[in-house]
Amino acid sequence: MKGYLRRFAMLSAFLLTFTTFSCGKDKVEEINDSQEQSESGITPAKTDLTVAVTSWDGTDFTDLQHNVNYDLKIIDYRTEENGENCFEHLTMDILSGKCPDIVAASPESMEKLARGNYLADLYQLMNKAEKDSFLANVLEGLEREGRLPSICTGFDLFTAAAKTKNVSAYGENWSYNDAFEAFYNMPEDCDFLYQCYTESDIDNYFMKRTVRDAVNIGTGSCDLTGFADVLSRTSKLPYFENRLNWLAGDFQSIGTDMGYALINDKALVDEIVINGINSSTAFQLCSDFGGADITFVGYPSDKGTGYYAVPHNMLGIMGSSFSKEAAWSFLSDNFFSSAFQKNASLHFEGIPVI
């Protein structure tokens, strides 16, 4: 009888240990188990998570692992053999059934996964407090038909500024007509863009929002209404050929040092990249405009969206993962950790999303 009881106790202990690795276990039970194991001196088992990496700026992805409760298996597709086809190799593995839990990829690659409905809806995994901690317009910008397929660690904000006195009638986020009208009210020897080296620079400025407004990523459609009209109007803007003399070292080619063009109203608009919470952008604006009051006119758009953002590192959770809750718990632990927040701008650059 004693031998039977001993075998029963050993079998029970084995089953209890095995259940810590099973899928779909209630989160509250996991927390209670961890507390009981800590109190009894037993080290809690780590949760296994597989992370596929096809793109990651800054430090290595393993630097995200600040929580000792997870055991990460990193599959790095960025090999010399894969070259630029690292995402295609990940796609083939997914189609063959080799599904990771977490994917770290470029915005373009993550968009492909989202369109194929391969990614879980992160809104279904995060609680209200977590959702409210993110910048609302960041989450909205990453949504696809009400779902949140992925998030980013940070982003760069691209916009443009002008002296307030020159654009006071138009304000922020101006339209195409506003931009053209403001320019034609400037002195005749004024250029549209500060540090404009080629005619295509002007076209690019006007096309930044035109192209983005024309493309609907969610539906994969494109509406080019007005596109040709904008190009036709930009082609009529004056461009100073002797700008090339400045590149050769002739700083007096347009009647003033090009470095003072904005200060002396020899240029109207200055393109700006805000890539973090730091003083570099403020220093640039103060230097370029000589401390004058400025307005962020942005890029011309009839939709009132004068800027655009480019996300850095994108993170998503595969919809077919058996550990979606654990995967989000891992990402959440890192996003909200003081270590991650402290180093986000240093390692990943960009404006933090929390």
Side-chain angles (χ1 to χ4, degrees):
M1 183 67 176
K2 290 183 180 179
Y4 171 77
L5 291 175
R6 186 180 299 108
R7 288 195 297 274
F8 177 79
M10 293 175 63
L11 176 61
S12 299
F14 171 78
L15 291 174
L16 287 172
T17 303
F18 179 78
T19 55
T20 61
F21 294 94
S22 63
C23 298
K25 191 173 184 184
D26 187 81
K27 197 174 185 67
V28 175
E29 292 180 17
E30 291 179 356
I31 294 173
N32 290 337
D33 285 349
S34 297
Q35 291 175 344
E36 292 174 1
Q37 290 172 336
S38 297
E39 293 171 359
S40 63
I42 301 175
T43 302
K46 290 185 177 183
T47 300
D48 293 332
L49 291 174
T50 302
V51 182
V53 182
T54 64
S55 176
W56 193 256
D57 297 332
T59 59
D60 190 82
F61 185 83
T62 52
D63 283 0
L64 275 181
Q65 190 175 10
H66 297 301
N67 197 309
V68 296
N69 296 324
Y70 305 96
D71 188 7
L72 291 188
K73 178 184 178 182
I74 308 294
I75 304 177
D76 197 338
Y77 288 85
R78 302 167 300 173
T79 64
E80 184 176 346
E81 180 181 356
N82 290 343
E84 296 181 356
N85 300 317
C86 53
F87 178 72
E88 284 70 18
H89 283 270
L90 167 62
T91 303
M92 293 302 296
D93 281 350
I94 292 174
L95 293 175
S96 65
K98 300 176 183 178
C99 176
D101 299 298
I102 299 171
V103 176
S106 67
E108 296 78 13
S109 297
M110 203 65 82
E111 185 62 40
K112 294 177 182 177
L113 292 175
R115 283 204 300 265
N117 292 321
Y118 289 107
L119 299 173
D121 180 7
L122 299 183
Y123 281 147
Q124 300 298 318
L125 299 173
M126 62 176 63
N127 58 42
K128 185 179 185 302
E130 291 170 335
K131 181 178 179 181
D132 291 344
S133 297
F134 286 89
L135 295 176
N137 52 355
V138 170
L139 295 185
E140 291 171 4
L142 296 174
E143 282 184 7
R144 294 295 176 265
E145 298 180 353
R147 301 175 74 255
L148 184 66
S150 59
I151 53 175
C152 59
T153 58
F155 62 95
D156 291 343
L157 195 65
F158 291 76
T159 185
K163 276 186 183 177
T164 299
K165 75 178 186 68
N166 294 330
V167 297
S168 59
Y170 316 106
E172 296 182 351
N173 301 328
W174 59 3
S175 67
Y176 300 107
N177 287 335
D178 292 340
F180 287 116
E181 184 176 300
F183 175 71
Y184 287 120
N185 287 330
M186 296 295 287
E188 289 186 1
D189 59 347
C190 177
D191 205 355
F192 190 91
L193 282 179
Y194 177 56
Q195 294 185 346
C196 176
Y197 301 129
T198 67
E199 289 179 276
S200 62
D201 290 341
I202 300 176
D203 292 335
N204 290 337
Y205 170 78
F206 277 89
M207 290 297 105
K208 290 281 175 62
R209 280 268 30 127
T210 306
V211 173
R212 285 169 172 79
D213 290 344
V215 177
N216 187 321
I217 296 178
T219 62
S221 60
C222 182
D223 179 9
L224 296 178
T225 303
F227 190 86
D229 177 62
V230 173
L231 281 178
S232 174
R233 297 178 71 179
T234 58
S235 67
K236 298 175 183 177
L237 291 174
Y239 171 72
F240 294 93
E241 295 289 347
N242 58 4
R243 234 356 140 196
L244 298 176
N245 294 336
W246 179 84
L247 291 176
D250 181 4
F251 293 96
Q252 303 300 319
S253 61
I254 57 172
T256 184
D257 185 339
M258 189 177 179
Y260 295 95
L262 289 166
I263 297 174
N264 296 327
D265 288 336
K266 299 296 183 180
L268 176 61
V269 174
D270 189 13
E271 293 188 83
I272 301 295
V273 180
I274 303 175
N275 60 3
I277 307 301
N278 51 56
S279 60
S280 62
T281 302
F283 178 82
Q284 177 190 346
L285 290 170
C286 185
S287 174
D288 290 351
F289 288 96
D293 291 339
I294 63 170
T295 297
F296 285 100
V297 293
Y299 295 96
S301 168
D302 287 333
K303 295 184 178 180
T305 50
Y307 64 90
Y308 68 92
V310 175
H312 280 227
N313 302 306
M314 302 293 297
L315 295 164
I317 296 173
M318 295 298 294
S320 56
S321 168
F322 291 105
S323 304
K324 287 190 286 290
E325 290 78 10
W328 170 251
S329 181
F330 164 72
L331 292 180
S332 177
D333 287 349
N334 282 286
F335 263 104
F336 294 100
S337 70
S338 58
F340 180 85
Q341 290 301 309
K342 180 179 179 180
N343 295 318
S345 292
L346 293 176
H347 286 183
F348 311 123
E349 297 186 345
I351 302 172
V353 296
I354 295 178

